[in-house]
Amino acid sequence: MTSAHENKNEALSPSAQVTITGRNVEVPEHFQERVNGKLAKIEKLDPTLTFFHVELQHEPNPRREAQANRIQITATGKGHLARAEAKEDSFYAALESAIGKMERSLRKVKVRREISMGGHRKPKSTGEIAAELAAEAEQARAQQEQEAAADPYAAQIEDQLPGQVVRTKEHPATPMSVDDALSEMELVGHDFYLFINSETSRPSVVYRRHAYDYGLITLVPEEESGN
């Protein structure tokens, strides 16, 4: 049973522009209202967001019925974007999962920016740190299991041989700091991020390591490499 408080929240709408589209599925009005209510909460985490695009897709594959309904949310702000995607057995579950991923990404970036600007933050209690670490570990484990169970491009390459390049992307090479690159990686929900390091003007990659650390790889001329 849905409470009156939840109904009130679902009736909210973000100030940013919202487009909701469906592929192989129609999006009913009541679900659009639910999406708007969730996005209004996301907007509070980052008031600079100006545009949301939400795409629903039904993938009729009997072998993947538990992940047949996919939602991708792309939020665009001033010079940055955030993206989250989820596949579940229903669009309602997929929406909750995608919104949760985007919330976690935006909160991480918000904390990172606060530390960068202020140089410090109020220390957390041992209990708070332990709870956050446990929650993040469980979320990472669940996401890894989900990604291992399904290939997002399987339906597109059934007639191709394995080991082929099936997708290419190009991005503007805007120089940025390592800290900004880490924030961008969190926002798009990836495990790595390719960028031009503004401090060295060289192609670099930041990536997730084990536990909660990050790594940095930089391309240098062979004569300068220490290997």
Side-chain angles (χ1 to χ4, degrees):
M1 181 176 180
T2 304
S3 67
H5 179 69
E6 289 176 336
N7 282 330
K8 182 179 179 180
N9 286 336
E10 300 301 342
L12 296 175
S13 293
S15 300
Q17 180 182 353
V18 178
T19 62
I20 305 174
T21 59
R23 297 176 59 185
N24 303 326
V25 64
E26 292 186 6
V27 186
E29 184 176 349
H30 65 85
F31 192 81
Q32 294 183 35
E33 293 176 355
R34 188 178 186 89
V35 170
N36 282 323
K38 298 296 182 181
L39 295 181
K41 297 178 182 179
I42 291 293
E43 190 178 53
K44 291 181 180 180
L45 294 174
D46 187 350
T48 68
L49 296 175
T50 57
F51 180 74
F52 289 101
H53 176 64
V54 182
E55 182 181 87
L56 285 69
Q57 181 178 8
H58 178 69
E59 301 176 350
N61 189 334
R63 293 177 298 176
R64 295 176 181 170
E65 187 175 352
Q67 296 179 328
N69 297 298
R70 166 183 170 272
I71 286 184
Q72 183 181 78
I73 303 172
T74 302
T76 306
K78 296 180 179 179
H80 68 282
L81 63 82
R83 181 179 293 114
E85 179 180 319
K87 292 181 179 180
E88 301 288 349
D89 59 351
S90 73
F91 283 117
Y92 289 97
L95 176 63
E96 293 295 333
S97 181
I99 287 293
K101 290 179 181 179
M102 184 164 286
E103 283 183 345
R104 290 190 292 272
S105 295
L106 291 175
R107 290 185 190 280
K108 285 183 180 180
V109 171
K110 183 178 181 180
V111 170
R112 179 179 300 280
R113 288 172 177 167
E114 288 175 349
I115 295 175
S116 178
M117 294 177 64
H120 64 279
R121 60 174 171 173
K122 181 181 178 181
K124 296 182 179 180
S125 68
T126 303
E128 289 176 323
I129 295 175
E132 288 186 3
L133 292 178
E136 289 188 9
E138 177 61 24
Q139 291 160 4
R141 182 193 64 77
Q143 184 172 356
Q144 289 175 354
E145 289 181 353
Q146 178 178 339
E147 292 174 351
D151 177 0
Y153 306 115
Q156 304 175 20
I157 58 174
E158 289 181 354
D159 297 330
Q160 297 187 29
L161 295 175
Q164 304 296 307
V165 176
V166 298
R167 189 179 187 186
T168 61
K169 281 188 175 182
E170 293 184 354
H171 294 280
T174 304
M176 65 179 65
S177 67
V178 173
D179 193 63
D180 286 340
L182 289 171
S183 295
E184 292 294 329
M185 182 180 71
E186 295 288 359
L187 287 173
V188 297
H190 290 172
D191 292 325
F192 68 92
Y193 191 81
L194 174 65
F195 68 107
I196 299 296
N197 192 329
S198 59
E199 297 179 3
T200 63
S201 299
R202 288 173 173 165
S204 304
V205 172
V206 289
Y207 63 95
R208 299 182 192 277
R209 290 177 53 83
H210 297 296
Y212 305 99
D213 296 326
Y214 299 105
L216 173 66
I217 298 174
T218 299
L219 293 180
V220 298
E222 186 174 358
E223 59 271 17
E224 296 183 23
S225 175
N227 296 329

